[in-house]
Amino acid sequence: MLLDESPATLIHHTIGNFNIHPDKQAVTRINDSLATLQQSRDLRMREAESSMKKLSRHLHSLTVQHEEAVAAHDAGKHAAEMVELDTKKFRIAKAATELEIESERLESELEMLKERLADLEAQGLEGDEGTRREREMDDATILRLKIYRSLGVDIEADEAGTFNKAVIRNSRKGDVHVVNIDPKFSRFFYSNYFWSTMQG
């Protein structure tokens, strides 16, 4: 009975019974996915090749620059420049240290002068008691020397400031007497001696 039917009809019925339409759709979807993946892969390959070409060009440029820098570099000149810079650095550091020390010294001196100025301003124009007394003693000494000179007596001091010699002139006689003053004799003795020498 099977042989009575057309083979094409049998095949058609067989295919219909297998229900291959969902399988065909699945294969179609798979083929579409494979095509999409291939396109994406091709696109990524083109981008990678483009990036690689850019990197290759950049590497070539850097290599050329490096070779030019190496060719232009003079190691001896560079070392000499480094030594010179180190010398300048040392000199500058030394000068800065010296200036700092001098600045500290000047600041200390300025503080001392400020303190001295404050003391002088506090003492006023006349100075402190010791300064006034010393000035009065100097004035009295100068006055005594003037009186002695007016009488014809010159008093001489040694290096320590001690009066140890007297030159007595007698204008009437034209005499000159030199007297060495010894501290073991009293002032009264020398006063009488000077007076008698001037009168005699």
Side-chain angles (χ1 to χ4, degrees):
M1 186 159 191
L2 291 174
L3 295 175
D4 291 340
E5 293 186 19
S6 168
T9 304
L10 288 174
I11 291 170
H12 182 68
H13 286 299
T14 304
I15 291 172
N17 289 333
F18 276 114
N19 192 15
I20 63 171
H21 186 66
D23 294 334
K24 288 170 67 178
Q25 290 178 344
V27 171
T28 300
R29 287 195 302 273
I30 290 170
N31 286 334
D32 291 341
S33 296
L34 287 174
T36 303
L37 288 173
Q38 185 63 38
Q39 290 176 357
S40 176
R41 183 175 176 275
D42 291 342
L43 180 62
R44 286 199 299 272
M45 286 288 291
R46 284 194 295 273
E47 290 176 352
E49 287 175 358
S50 175
S51 178
M52 188 176 69
K53 288 178 181 177
K54 287 181 182 178
L55 290 173
S56 178
R57 287 195 296 271
H58 187 58
L59 174 62
H60 178 70
S61 175
L62 291 176
T63 303
V64 171
Q65 290 178 8
H66 174 69
E67 289 174 354
E68 290 176 353
V70 169
H73 177 68
D74 186 354
K77 184 179 179 182
H78 177 70
E81 289 177 355
M82 292 299 294
V83 170
E84 184 179 354
L85 289 174
D86 284 342
T87 304
K88 287 182 179 178
K89 177 182 175 184
F90 175 75
R91 287 177 183 165
I92 290 170
K94 183 179 178 183
T97 303
E98 290 175 353
L99 288 173
E100 186 176 351
I101 293 171
E102 181 66 11
S103 174
E104 290 177 358
R105 186 189 70 77
L106 290 174
E107 285 179 2
S108 175
E109 187 175 340
L110 177 62
E111 288 300 321
M112 290 173 57
L113 290 174
K114 284 180 179 178
E115 292 176 3
R116 178 67 179 148
L117 177 61
D119 291 342
L120 291 174
E121 288 177 348
Q123 293 170 9
L125 294 176
E126 295 296 322
D128 61 358
E129 187 63 29
T131 304
R132 285 195 296 273
R133 207 175 304 123
E134 185 178 342
R135 189 166 53 245
E136 289 170 359
M137 288 176 61
D138 290 342
D139 292 343
T141 302
I142 292 170
L143 182 60
R144 283 193 199 100
L145 290 174
K146 284 182 179 179
I147 293 171
Y148 289 150
R149 280 201 192 98
S150 68
L151 295 173
V153 179
D154 287 332
I155 307 294
E156 296 180 4
D158 60 7
E159 294 178 355
T162 304
F163 295 105
N164 61 355
K165 186 184 290 185
V167 179
I168 305 168
R169 293 179 180 82
N170 190 329
S171 57
R172 287 180 295 178
K173 290 185 174 183
D175 292 339
V176 176
H177 295 278
V178 178
V179 179
N180 291 321
I181 299 172
D182 192 339
K184 68 182 180 181
F185 296 107
S186 67
R187 291 183 180 181
F188 180 74
F189 168 77
Y190 281 111
S191 296
N192 288 334
Y193 182 76
F194 291 168
W195 187 254
S196 63
T197 303
M198 287 186 294
Q199 294 297 320

